[in-house]
């Protein structure tokens, strides 16, 4: 019997464009050298899987406004601090006196609010289904403590409609195991009706090799569309009911803007009306704005697989991980950053 590596190396079927939609997958595939064993007709596209990469400049502009105009203390995951907005990043705002704090979890921000009642603390809630439950938990804790000085600025994204929007960009998705641990793998089976193929994958080298081998096995057999869950030990069909219940209690689906991809209908979550006193946009009357990315940044084309990062004229010259021009170069899991670290 062939090993997954042997199945991949001996693949002789049609050309396949496989899209990863998870920054950890992108990073691990590079780190483990998996790209080097792919046959020439198999292309991996690093799609929109890094939360930082898909956060639009208008969202950063709103966070900067809260920090500089409303004097809020902004608590955020560290990567977001260097993401460029239209004019300023949060790091730039900090150099103008803004209070910007890196935290590890949204609950850290709740603790900071409780310890500093004189400060208005705003947590920047970005990311996919994997981080939403912890943002909901933060709101729940703030409510239990009757904190009036805590709110969240939301830009959470959900994957199912993004798969539909990106379906034509790839022949198959490497579905992110952690997202489907929360929402279940059943949704991937539903996507078959839209002609969308993919395999749910774990995060270790052997799990990634297995998932890629399964995709190529189906492609070689001419199956279309196809779906397999190769992360069954964690991602169940129905997901994590407790996490889903928490999301449904605190969040409502909405349209969402993805950096470089535009608005994808029904691909976001916003805090629901019952808890809107914890919604920083309502509390400080900060409307959504579209923002302006750097004119030369090609993040959108890269996330759709139209361009490779090194085909962006700014890659590695003007835009580097130390001096990122676009969001895809900020986080070490971003598409451009991963190519910069491993692919040059
Ligand atoms: S290399 Fe930099 S400027 Fe070019 S697409 Fe990537 S992030 Fe944007």
């Amino acid at each position: 019997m062939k090993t997954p590596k042997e199945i991949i190396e001996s693949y002789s079927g049609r050309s396949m464009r496989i899209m990863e939609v998870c920054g950890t997958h992108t990073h691990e595939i590079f780190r483990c050298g998996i790209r080097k064993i792919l046959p020439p007709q198999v292309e991996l596209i690093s799609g929109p899987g890094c939360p930082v990469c898909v956060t639009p400049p208008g969202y950063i502009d709103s966070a900067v406004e809260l920090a500089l105009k409303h004097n809020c203390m902004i608590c955020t995951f560290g990567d977001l601090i260097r993401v460029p907005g239209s004019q300023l990043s949060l790091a730039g705002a900090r150099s103008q006196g803004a209070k910007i704090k890196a935290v590890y979890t949204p609950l850290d921000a709740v603790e900071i609010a409780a310890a500093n009642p004189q400060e208005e603390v705003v947590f920047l809630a970005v990311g996919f289904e994997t981080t939403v439950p912890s943002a909901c938990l933060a709101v729940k804790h703030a409510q239990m403590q009757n904190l009036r000085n805590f709110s969240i600025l939301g830009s959470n994204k959900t994957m199912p409609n993004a798969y539909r929007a990106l379906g034509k960009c790839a022949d198959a998705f490497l579905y992110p195991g952690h997202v489907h641990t929360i929402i279940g793998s059943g949704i991937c089976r539903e996507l078959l009706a839209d002609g969308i193929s993919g395999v749910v994958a774990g995060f270790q080298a052997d799990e990634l090799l297995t998932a890629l081998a399964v995709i190529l096995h189906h492609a070689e057999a001419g199956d279309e569309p196809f779906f397999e869950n190769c992360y069954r030990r964690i991602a169940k069909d129905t997901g994590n009911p407790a996490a889903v219940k928490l999301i449904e209690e605190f969040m409502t689906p909405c349209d969402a803007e993805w950096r470089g991809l535009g608005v994808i209908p029904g691909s976001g979550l916003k805090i629901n009306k019952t808890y809107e006193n914890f919604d920083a946009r309502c509390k400080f009357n900060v409307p959504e704005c579209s923002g302006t990315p750097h004119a030369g940044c090609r993040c959108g084309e890269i996330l759709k697989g139209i361009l490779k990062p090194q085909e962006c004229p700014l890659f590695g010259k003007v835009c580097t991980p130390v001096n990122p021009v676009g969001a895809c170069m900020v986080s070490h899991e971003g598409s451009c950053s991963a190519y910069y670290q491993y692919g040059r």
Side-chain angles (χ1 to χ4, degrees):
M1 199 163 104
K2 282 184 180 175
T3 64
K5 182 169 177 276
E6 287 165 347
I7 292 172
I8 293 168
E9 286 174 330
S10 63
Y11 175 71
S12 60
R14 66 186 177 95
S15 69
M16 283 294 286
R17 286 160 57 89
I18 302 169
M19 184 179 276
E20 324 119 34
V21 279
C22 165
T24 310
H25 279 173
T26 299
H27 185 81
E28 279 305 289
I29 286 170
F30 265 119
R31 196 182 68 79
C32 301
I34 292 174
R35 283 175 177 265
K36 292 184 188 152
I37 65 161
L38 296 177
Q41 75 273 37
V42 177
E43 185 189 351
L44 282 179
I45 302 166
S46 301
C50 155
V52 167
C53 298
V54 299
T55 299
Y59 176 80
I60 301 296
D61 297 346
S62 297
V64 167
E65 183 181 333
L66 286 166
L68 289 178
K69 190 170 153 197
H70 298 277
N71 198 29
C72 296
M73 178 189 281
I74 302 293
C75 291
T76 174
F77 300 131
D79 283 350
L80 216 55
I81 293 175
R82 296 189 312 130
V83 175
S86 300
Q87 305 287 335
L88 275 182
S89 64
L90 288 165
R94 180 151 64 187
S95 69
Q96 294 184 15
K99 290 167 275 188
I100 313 291
K101 235 176 153 32
V103 293
Y104 288 109
T105 81
L107 288 174
D108 291 345
V110 175
E111 270 182 33
I112 290 168
N116 299 276
Q118 76 288 359
E119 298 281 3
E120 275 293 343
V121 174
V122 177
F123 175 72
L124 303 188
V126 300
F128 303 97
E129 289 92 336
T130 42
T131 54
V132 179
S134 60
C136 296
L137 213 50
V139 173
K140 188 173 180 168
H141 278 243
Q143 191 197 34
M144 278 161 28
Q145 294 174 54
N146 201 21
L147 291 181
R148 303 288 165 93
N149 64 328
F150 175 82
S151 56
I152 64 173
L153 182 68
S155 183
N156 287 116
K157 309 280 192 290
T158 53
M159 290 309 299
N161 279 358
Y163 298 143
R164 292 186 176 100
L166 291 162
K168 292 206 170 21
C169 301
D171 299 301
F173 286 102
L174 205 56
Y175 292 126
H178 47 15
V179 164
H180 293 284
T181 299
I182 302 292
I183 63 172
S185 58
I187 178 67
C188 307
R189 196 166 291 108
E190 289 171 27
L191 290 169
L192 291 172
D194 297 310
I196 296 172
S197 297
V199 167
V200 179
F203 301 92
Q204 294 170 6
D206 57 339
E207 293 172 320
L208 287 162
L209 284 170
T210 300
L212 288 169
V214 168
I215 288 176
L216 296 182
H217 170 78
H218 278 290
E220 200 145 42
D223 302 337
E224 204 163 349
F226 58 84
F227 163 66
E228 297 269 359
N229 182 358
C230 291
Y231 196 49
R232 266 183 242 164
R233 67 189 170 92
I234 309 279
K236 308 296 176 201
D237 222 41
T238 49
N240 180 328
V244 170
K245 191 167 170 236
L246 196 61
I247 295 171
E248 286 172 353
E249 181 183 349
F250 288 91
M251 299 278 180
T252 305
C254 63
D255 298 345
E257 184 189 351
W258 298 53
R259 187 183 282 248
L261 304 178
V263 173
I264 301 179
S267 68
L269 289 168
K270 63 178 182 188
I271 200 155
N272 74 29
K273 279 236 168 280
T274 316
Y275 299 98
E276 75 180 8
N277 47 334
F278 293 103
D279 184 339
R281 283 203 190 279
C282 299
K283 192 171 180 180
F284 299 99
N285 192 22
V286 177
E288 300 221 17
C289 58
S290 53
T292 324
H294 187 286
C297 178
R298 314 291 291 270
C299 276
E301 287 147 287
I302 285 162
L303 295 177
K304 284 185 270 194
I306 297 167
L307 285 184
K308 293 278 179 216
Q310 58 270 39
E311 290 168 330
C312 168
L314 306 185
F315 178 83
K317 301 178 192 113
V318 181
C319 182
T320 65
V322 175
N323 182 27
V325 172
C328 296
M329 191 59 98
V330 174
S331 161
H332 76 288
E333 292 187 346
S335 309
C336 296
S337 176
Y339 270 79
Y340 187 88
Q341 289 173 71
Y342 299 107
R344 290 184 299 155

